[in-house]
Amino acid sequence: MDDVLWTPDEQYRRQSNMQLFCDYLFSQGYPRFGDYPSLHQWSIDYLNDFWLQFWRFSDLKALTEPKVGFTGDPGNAEQRGWFPDIKLNYAENLLRFATAKPDRVIAVTVNEQGVTREITGECLYQQVAAVASALRTLGIAPGDRVAGYLNHSHEALVAMLATTAIGAVWSSASPDFGAAGIIDRFGQISPKVVFANTRYRYGGKEYDRRREIKELVDALSPSLSCVIPIESGVAVDIQCQSLSWKQFIEQGVQANKDAKIDYFHGLFDHPLFILFSSGTTGKPKCIVHGAGGTLLQHAKELQLHTNLTMDSVFSYFTTTGWMMWNFQASALLTGAKLIIFDGHPGYPDSTRLWRLIEQFDISHLGTSAKYISSCRIQNIPVASLRMTSLQMLLSTGSPLQPEDFDWVYQYMPQVHLASISGGTDIVSCFVLGNPFVPVRRGRIQGPGLAMNLRAYDDHGNAVIGQKGELVCLNPVPSMPVCFWNDKHHNRYRECYFNRYPGVWVHGDYIEFDQDGSAIIYGRSDTTLNPGGVRIGTAEIYRQVETITGVLDSLVVGMPEAGDIVIVLMVKLTAETVFTVELVENIKSIIRRSASPRHVPKYVFQVSDIPYTRSGKKVELAALNALTGRSIENQSALANPEILDEIAQLFPSVPKK
């Protein structure tokens, strides 16, 4: 194919964990799988065998060796019934290399100022043991909620591991959330303990969060028993027990003299994490993920699809409020070293994130499609950087444009570029990379193992080579255990299974090719329908964001005269002037490169594009602003002030 940008060589494929898994399966009497399609087909045809054999291959820990992987109906995605004969602990699995190699550096933290701290396996284990014991002294029991209002730091990792080690349920959000946003989240789950940063630094500026912490504590009373500010010597005016991180560690050490972790072992579906939907159309959904499902799915993706090993150095640019933070934390189970970066990827200069590769010999780096796109558009100077250690670059958060693939391979020709997509809903991926198949320009490599995916047209028929609704036909272990406070699972079923019984409808607009590769065109709930023809928003972004002078864009479908018209908003470079000639050029390029139906009726200039705090464009909130509807939960946005500007757009149509 002339769109192939990278092909795994024989050595890369032969030494991959996926090939080792195939060899393991053959040794157990299964067929010898010579390519990815045959392996994938087997994994969905024999769901029980796949997951049971993968558990054994990965050497995951449980109190007893599992004999059964799945007991439900493999043709009904709503079914559960995973590993009914085991009890396990998520944190115990993540800390297995910390105990096996206590002197090895297992993580390195680095902040904006370049300050680094190395953490050995022994140090990590001892801190987790201390915090776990201190939590127990507060009466925290299995099933209780513990929350983190924390930056991307080793304290966040320790607090999460300690919480899950004792069977409590962890939930986190980054400290850039304001009081309303954090109360909307934590207020629904009533945590008994909150770990919090009283300040954080981003983009060279420091932000005080003591007022937000006070408002949060007031809202959570009386269920909240203790707040743990990370910074010592900082007074927080709260009516609640409070110990600094240092004091809390010391309390735990005193309560646990032998520094051993007494792990709680629960059933496969014992609650592990509560993650939150973006909340741009109402209060965020509280999505409960189980310990076994999260562990197993992350192990599959990190080991087989991402090819992490003991020799890997892994970093994901994320915050604690994004599911990629949980994904990165799970990489501990592979033995890979984590590089935990806390700060702005463009501070003090635009090469900051890429220079981490050079500084720490990173082999696997994850970031957002938005960041890669901005690097391309701004033509940041990466050509002089030494990035030869980089083996795999992961991109998620939104569709990665074909031109961004070109940019990556211009400067990093050796890299396996994996555009990945899934979501908070499954705390993992539906489609992602793998070391067996080529990387094609603008396309995700294909479905994950044991994921029976289809694109459904409007009549519920599976289609190839056409756009459709992304659906999953079989159960996946990391599908949510439940939604919080959804006693009879009514909201859960309505969210994913209401349209096609027994079929998970994910909400993405996707196209699969014959080879299994995929293109995601955006969220299906923001799909444009001018004249009744469905158009994915990414189809327009793909054209607009290659135009000189355009930094970013947002497109919505607005009701007008009984139809839907396309409205495009563009963010321009400082030297670009918004003129009628520019608008006509944008329309001409879209008409020529896409189709006349893709051409927007209105084009506006805006000073910024609204994004969630995890880096996703929010078309629905922008549409509500344009049409004068109420906009709930603006605290979910990184830049909610831009909605006021969008609400006033129509008078600014450029005149000839």
Side-chain angles (χ1 to χ4, degrees):
M1 298 178 184
D2 58 8
D3 60 352
V4 171
L5 300 175
W6 175 90
T7 303
D9 60 31
E10 184 60 29
Q11 181 180 9
Y12 186 81
R13 173 179 168 142
R14 188 174 62 249
Q15 294 179 352
S16 69
N17 287 329
M18 192 168 284
Q19 182 60 55
L20 294 177
F21 180 54
C22 289
D23 294 343
Y24 167 81
L25 290 174
F26 185 70
S27 73
Q28 300 302 304
Y30 294 94
R32 184 175 290 283
F33 300 106
D35 55 30
Y36 188 74
S38 61
L39 174 63
H40 178 262
Q41 189 62 49
W42 174 81
S43 73
I44 60 177
D45 288 344
Y46 298 94
L47 212 58
N48 172 74
D49 286 30
F50 170 80
W51 285 113
L52 186 61
Q53 293 303 327
F54 176 71
W55 177 284
R56 293 169 178 169
F57 168 79
S58 297
D59 197 27
L60 297 175
K61 290 178 174 288
L63 287 181
T64 57
E65 182 68 19
K67 296 182 176 62
V68 180
F70 182 67
T71 61
D73 176 3
N76 183 347
E78 198 174 345
Q79 292 274 298
R80 298 204 67 82
W82 301 100
F83 291 81
D85 57 345
I86 64 170
K87 290 186 176 182
L88 69 134
N89 184 274
Y90 170 81
E92 183 178 22
N93 280 274
L94 266 61
L95 290 170
R96 59 184 181 172
F97 286 101
T99 54
K101 295 183 178 291
D103 297 330
R104 180 173 176 265
V105 174
I106 203 166
V108 180
T109 62
V110 55
N111 63 18
E112 276 191 352
Q113 299 97 308
V115 177
T116 62
R117 176 183 174 185
E118 293 187 340
I119 304 159
T120 64
E122 180 179 29
C123 174
L124 181 63
Y125 181 90
Q126 288 180 348
Q127 288 204 353
V128 172
V131 174
S133 295
L135 286 170
R136 280 189 166 122
T137 64
L138 293 176
I140 302 303
D144 288 341
R145 277 75 61 210
V146 175
Y149 186 47
L150 297 169
N151 59 18
H152 191 200
S153 61
H154 93 277
E155 289 93 350
L157 182 63
V158 169
M160 180 276 286
L161 289 169
T163 297
T164 57
I166 64 173
V169 186
W170 174 261
S171 190
S172 59
S174 56
D176 58 345
F177 273 93
I182 203 66
I183 291 168
D184 278 346
R185 286 156 174 77
F186 294 163
Q188 296 186 69
I189 64 173
S190 303
K192 291 188 174 181
V193 174
V194 171
F195 294 88
N197 283 110
T198 57
R199 58 178 180 265
Y200 75 96
R201 187 179 180 88
Y202 193 76
K205 298 179 181 179
E206 189 164 287
Y207 299 86
D208 191 319
R209 297 326 253 175
R210 285 176 291 180
R211 185 178 67 180
E212 286 76 10
I213 293 170
K214 175 176 170 49
E215 290 185 43
L216 175 63
V217 171
D218 290 345
L220 295 179
S221 296
S223 62
L224 185 66
S225 63
C226 189
V227 174
I228 316 298
I230 301 302
E231 295 78 16
S232 298
V234 180
V236 183
D237 180 21
I238 53 176
Q239 301 300 312
C240 177
Q241 181 184 3
S242 179
L243 296 167
S244 72
W245 175 260
K246 183 179 179 181
Q247 291 171 326
F248 201 61
I249 291 278
E250 290 171 350
Q251 181 172 297
V253 169
Q254 292 301 313
N256 185 5
K257 297 292 188 181
D258 63 359
K260 298 294 183 185
I261 303 175
D262 180 15
Y263 292 107
F264 166 84
H265 294 91
L267 297 174
F268 191 88
D269 280 345
H270 181 80
L272 175 76
F273 295 140
I274 296 177
L275 274 62
F276 303 99
S277 64
S278 60
T280 54
T281 56
K283 274 198 172 184
K285 297 189 295 288
C286 304
I287 304 172
V288 182
H289 288 291
T294 304
L295 173 69
L296 194 60
Q297 178 77 348
H298 282 184
K300 180 200 74 175
E301 293 185 347
L302 291 161
Q303 291 180 311
L304 302 186
H305 290 275
T306 312
N307 202 33
L308 288 180
T309 69
M310 280 281 292
D311 298 324
S312 301
V313 182
F314 182 45
S315 183
Y316 217 106
F317 177 69
T318 183
T319 73
T320 58
W322 191 18
M323 59 144 285
M324 300 315 299
W325 180 81
N326 307 78
F327 182 83
Q328 179 189 250
S330 289
L332 287 171
L333 67 86
T334 70
K337 181 194 295 184
L338 302 187
I339 307 300
I340 301 170
F341 174 65
D342 181 44
H344 193 295
Y347 181 86
D349 62 67
S350 57
T351 64
R352 183 70 182 96
L353 194 59
W354 303 111
R355 284 189 287 108
L356 289 178
I357 300 170
E358 194 172 52
Q359 183 177 359
F360 296 104
D361 288 327
I362 290 172
S363 61
H364 294 69
L365 178 70
T367 187
S368 66
K370 175 191 173 186
Y371 177 70
I372 295 174
S373 177
S374 68
C375 289
R376 171 182 57 80
I377 291 169
Q378 297 175 60
N379 195 26
I380 69 162
V382 297
S384 61
L385 299 181
R386 182 185 62 80
M387 297 188 288
T388 54
S389 65
L390 190 65
Q391 300 169 21
M392 194 169 197
L393 179 64
L394 296 96
S395 167
T396 192
S398 58
L400 188 66
Q401 306 297 343
E403 292 73 19
D404 298 326
F405 279 75
D406 297 338
W407 183 85
V408 168
Y409 281 103
Q410 178 181 354
Y411 296 108
M412 295 162 260
Q414 82 287 354
V415 81
H416 177 182
L417 175 58
S419 179
I420 65 177
S421 182
T424 300
D425 312 77
I426 60 166
V427 70
S428 58
C429 304
F430 279 115
V431 286
L432 69 172
N434 80 69
F436 277 16
V437 302
V439 173
R440 294 175 58 191
R441 183 177 187 263
R443 304 191 72 91
I444 300 173
Q445 285 180 282
L449 289 171
M451 315 285 268
N452 191 3
L453 307 180
R454 297 288 188 274
Y456 271 10
D457 66 15
D458 291 342
H459 305 290
N461 300 313
V463 292
I464 299 289
Q466 299 177 38
K467 307 178 194 96
E469 188 85 44
L470 173 60
V471 300
C472 184
L473 306 183
N474 68 300
V476 176
S478 63
M479 287 174 175
V481 173
C482 62
F483 287 173
W484 192 255
N485 288 331
D486 183 23
K487 186 175 180 181
H488 300 293
H489 301 279
N490 291 330
R491 287 186 66 209
Y492 175 68
R493 291 192 188 95
E494 182 181 350
C495 189
Y496 305 114
F497 299 103
N498 194 42
R499 191 167 172 187
Y500 305 109
V503 175
W504 173 288
V505 178
H506 190 55
D508 278 346
Y509 197 37
I510 196 168
E511 175 188 319
F512 286 106
D513 203 349
Q514 289 286 355
D515 66 355
S517 65
I519 299 174
I520 288 183
Y521 292 95
R523 296 292 295 170
S524 57
D525 57 3
T526 57
T527 297
L528 311 171
N529 288 279
V533 177
R534 298 186 80 190
I535 294 173
T537 54
E539 297 177 66
I540 296 177
Y541 297 142
R542 185 165 290 134
Q543 310 307 325
V544 175
E545 291 171 20
T546 63
I547 298 171
T548 301
V550 177
L551 281 174
D552 205 352
S553 63
L554 188 80
V555 64
V556 299
M558 187 180 72
E560 183 180 273
D563 197 1
I564 297 294
V565 297
I566 297 175
V567 180
L568 173 66
M569 291 157 262
V570 292
K571 177 182 178 181
L572 304 178
T573 60
E575 61 274 12
T576 303
V577 179
F578 187 63
T579 63
V580 70
E581 289 76 20
L582 175 63
V583 170
E584 291 305 317
N585 184 47
I586 290 172
K587 290 183 177 182
S588 175
I589 289 172
I590 294 173
R591 181 180 293 106
R592 183 174 65 251
S593 301
S595 82
R597 290 192 178 275
H598 289 73
V599 177
K601 180 173 182 179
Y602 302 104
V603 180
F604 301 111
Q605 180 186 8
V606 290
S607 62
D608 205 359
I609 299 297
Y611 278 90
T612 66
R613 295 179 187 275
S614 58
K616 296 181 180 180
K617 294 181 182 183
V618 281
E619 290 105 338
L620 285 177
L623 178 60
N624 287 342
L626 272 177
T627 54
R629 299 174 193 160
S630 63
I631 305 167
E632 299 184 49
N633 260 328
Q634 294 193 37
S635 58
L637 304 184
N639 51 347
E641 65 282 352
I642 194 61
L643 295 178
D644 292 334
E645 180 182 333
I646 290 174
Q648 304 299 320
L649 278 179
F650 268 92
S652 69
V653 177
K655 302 292 191 296
K656 288 190 178 181

